[in-house]
């Protein structure tokens, strides 16, 4: 964490993943965080879509507890999640002249011991907000804001779930990392039909998690121990593509925790050109990394003073916007363009030079035969209709600069990566359910890009 960044304790997030300093809406218009006021905390909304960012404090009738969750809505209100024993209270805060208005939304009861309820990432559109209640044997997805009358339970998933990544631009398809039978695999939840489908499985005995997804390009950021059993590695794949899941050597930074937090949107059918923002936590500091799948290195840059670490977003034009707060600038956004990220800007690159493979090791390849394959069906809509989706979204073939080489690892063949194509836009007329073929990937060879 940078010296001036102030973050309250939080109960959200997966184990081992650092918390973000604030939460930003899917379209980047608003952000929200818990701001300090002496020894107390209060909700604060940031407006980011104007000429200059500005903050609006939203103190309630009493200070917020350190574990309070906040999330900005698309209309500028802020959702507040206040846990209290086995009850979780939800309210919407909004400015009313000199004061703060509060609209209570109701509560979610979690009486089963060991159940943990957290807010899911902001949904596309900003009109609704969701929470995930994870119990020892099953998990439930709740609509906690934007419904007709209070919190509504939408779907139940067997197993203990974590994470949460939106797969489409409508807020209907949600990916969750489910722990079941001692292994973690990513599943997709259709919130319209309350149907759960397998989404990502690289090997039978691997733990596979989905960290980020971009609906425009289909780029996926994945964490898995399939290429290096017992060690989590970052990889990337493409939604609905026959390209393999790849684990670049440059994303392995010794003694550092690397957390992707933003993908450049708007790169239709060119996932290898999407810029990815990385939070890098070392022993003594936190800094920013940028990376593209087409590149062989991570570019390391110093974080702005007071960065609300782990938060930020890319614009379609390739500008990385990082919110920060200092004593002199309590609400600021630092802009980093893709062109400005061309060097390491004074941050020493940890470990080996970018793109080099480990000596005496073939990129961490896994023995063939560990993966399995089975069919998966993508759920169709029950309310509202849409035309049948194409079986897969094809991307252009890699260019000569992307030919296989020794700096990136593929997982073994044959592997089942249940990544269906994104659903087509809604339209009038019925649309029957149709299977989406598995994207069989020839994993197990070496790639350089």
């Amino acid at each position: 964490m940078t010296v001036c960044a102030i973050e309250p304790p939080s109960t959200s997030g997966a184990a081992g993943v650092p918390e973000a300093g604030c939460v930003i809406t899917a379209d980047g218009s608003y952000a929200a965080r818990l701001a300090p006021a002496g020894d107390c905390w209060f909700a604060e909304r940031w407006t980011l879509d104007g000429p200059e960012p500005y903050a609006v404090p939203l103190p309630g009738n009493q200070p917020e507890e350190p574990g309070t969750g906040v999330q900005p809505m698309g209309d500028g209100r802020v959702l507040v999640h206040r846990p209290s024993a086995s009850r979780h209270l939800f309210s919407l805060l909004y400015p009313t002249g000199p004061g703060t208005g509060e609209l209570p939304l109701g509560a979610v009861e979690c009486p089963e011991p060991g159940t943990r309820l957290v807010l899911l990432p902001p949904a596309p559109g900003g009109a609704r907000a969701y929470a995930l209640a994870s119990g020892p044997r099953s998990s439930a997805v709740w609509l906690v804001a934007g419904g007709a009358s209070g919190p509504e339970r939408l779907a139940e998933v067997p197993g203990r779930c974590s994470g949460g990544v939106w797969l489409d631009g409508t807020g209907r398809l949600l990916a969750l990392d489910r722990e079941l039978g001692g292994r973690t695999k990513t599943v997709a939840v259709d919130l319209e039909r309350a149907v759960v489908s397998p989404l990502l499985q690289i090997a039978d005995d691997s733990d596979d998690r989905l960290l980020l997804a971009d609906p425009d390009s289909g780029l996926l950021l994945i964490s898995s121990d399939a290429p290096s059993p017992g060690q989590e590695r970052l990889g990337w794949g493409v939604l609905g593509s026959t390209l393999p899941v790849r684990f670049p050597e440059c994303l392995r930074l010794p003694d550092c925790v690397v957390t992707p937090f933003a993908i450049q949107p708007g790169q239709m059918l060119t996932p290898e050109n999407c810029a990815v923002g990385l939070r890098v936590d070392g022993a003594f500091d936190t800094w920013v990394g940028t990376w593209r799948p087409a590149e062989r290195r991570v570019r390391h840059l110093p974080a702005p003073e007071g960065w609300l670490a782990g938060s930020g977003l890319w614009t379609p034009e390739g500008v990385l916007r990082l919110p920060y707060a200092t004593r002199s600038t309590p609400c600021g956004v630092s802009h980093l363009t893709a062109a400005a990220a061309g060097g390491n800007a004074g941050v020493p690159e940890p470990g080996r030079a970018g793109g080099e493979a480990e000596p005496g090791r073939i990129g961490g390849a896994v023995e063939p035969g560990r993966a399995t394959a089975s069919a998966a069906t993508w759920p169709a809509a029950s309310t509202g209709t849409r035309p049948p989706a194409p079986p897969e979204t094809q991307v252009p073939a890699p260019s000569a600069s992307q030919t296989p080489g020794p700096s990136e690892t593929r997982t073994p063949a044959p592997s089942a990566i249940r990544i269906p194509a994104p659903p087509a836009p809604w339209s009038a007329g019925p649309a029957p359910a149709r299977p989406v073929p598995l994207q069989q990937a020839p994993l197990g060879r070496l790639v350089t890009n």
Side-chain angles (χ1 to χ4, degrees):
M1 182 63 60
T2 50
V3 174
C4 294
I6 304 173
E7 294 186 17
S10 174
T11 58
S12 62
V17 177
E19 291 303 317
C22 71
V23 182
I24 305 175
T25 56
D27 65 358
S29 298
Y30 295 101
R33 67 166 186 148
L34 280 187
D39 295 331
C40 303
W41 302 95
F42 63 90
E44 185 178 76
R45 186 199 74 194
W46 289 24
T47 300
L48 303 178
D49 59 352
E52 295 290 338
Y54 64 91
V56 176
L58 296 172
N61 297 326
Q62 61 185 22
E64 303 292 350
E65 296 293 329
T68 299
V70 295
Q71 185 171 122
M73 304 295 292
D75 58 6
R77 294 183 293 180
V78 173
L79 174 68
V80 177
H81 164 220
R82 300 182 178 111
S84 175
S86 62
R87 299 187 77 230
H88 298 262
L89 306 175
F90 297 90
S91 295
L92 286 172
L93 303 181
Y94 53 93
T96 56
T100 301
E102 181 168 344
L103 175 64
L105 299 177
V108 173
E109 300 281 350
C110 298
E112 186 176 10
T115 299
R116 181 168 170 263
L117 188 143
V118 297
L119 290 174
L120 286 166
R128 295 186 168 196
Y130 301 84
L132 175 66
S134 301
R137 291 178 293 275
S138 66
S139 303
V141 179
W142 287 81
L143 173 65
V144 295
S149 58
E152 177 185 353
R153 185 169 177 155
L154 299 180
E156 184 171 358
V157 183
R160 191 174 188 91
C161 293
S162 60
V165 175
W166 296 102
L167 297 173
D168 64 343
T170 66
R172 172 185 173 181
L173 304 175
L174 175 69
L176 296 173
D177 300 325
R178 177 175 67 176
E179 182 184 350
L180 188 66
R183 291 295 173 190
T184 300
K185 306 291 181 183
T186 303
V187 298
V189 184
D190 184 332
L191 298 182
E192 290 280 346
R193 300 179 62 233
V195 173
V196 181
S197 303
L199 182 69
L200 176 66
Q201 177 173 312
I202 298 178
D204 280 342
D205 55 352
S206 63
D207 292 319
D208 312 314
R209 296 176 174 86
L210 182 62
L211 305 180
L212 284 180
D214 174 54
D216 292 339
S217 64
L219 178 62
L220 307 177
L221 271 296
I222 295 165
S223 171
S224 176
D225 63 354
S228 302
Q231 298 180 4
E232 294 288 331
R233 289 187 59 177
L234 289 181
W236 66 281
V238 180
L239 194 69
S241 171
T242 56
L243 291 174
V245 173
R246 306 180 181 192
F247 296 87
E249 195 71 20
C250 63
L251 294 180
R252 303 183 73 182
L253 303 183
D255 302 320
C256 294
V257 177
V258 182
T259 308
F261 64 86
I263 300 177
Q264 180 184 0
Q267 309 301 300
M268 301 299 293
L269 300 180
T270 56
E272 67 279 358
N273 292 329
C274 289
V276 179
L278 306 171
R279 169 179 173 170
V280 186
D281 291 274
F284 304 104
D285 202 0
T286 294
W287 63 92
V288 180
T290 63
W291 168 79
R292 298 177 191 270
E295 295 181 348
R296 301 184 183 183
R297 62 177 300 180
V298 174
R299 306 181 188 276
H300 301 270
L301 301 114
E305 182 184 13
W307 179 37
L308 303 178
S311 55
L313 76 156
W314 288 96
T315 67
E317 296 74 26
V319 178
L320 180 59
R321 308 183 68 197
L322 302 174
Y324 67 91
T326 65
R327 293 185 183 275
S328 59
T329 308
C331 176
V333 176
S334 177
H335 294 78
L336 172 67
T337 63
N344 285 340
V347 179
E349 186 169 352
R352 300 178 301 278
E356 282 189 14
E358 251 180 296
R361 182 181 177 86
I362 307 178
V366 189
E367 304 83 17
R370 295 178 62 215
T372 59
S374 60
T377 301
W378 192 261
S382 58
T383 60
T385 56
R386 57 190 172 121
E392 63 182 36
T393 302
Q394 297 293 343
V395 300
S399 63
S401 62
Q402 298 170 349
T403 53
S407 66
E408 190 171 283
T409 304
R410 294 184 185 177
T411 48
S415 175
I417 304 169
R418 299 174 174 88
I419 303 177
W426 293 90
S427 65
R434 64 192 300 271
V436 176
L438 279 179
Q439 306 306 321
Q440 300 288 348
L443 308 179
R445 289 168 291 179
L446 302 177
V447 184
T448 57
N449 54 359

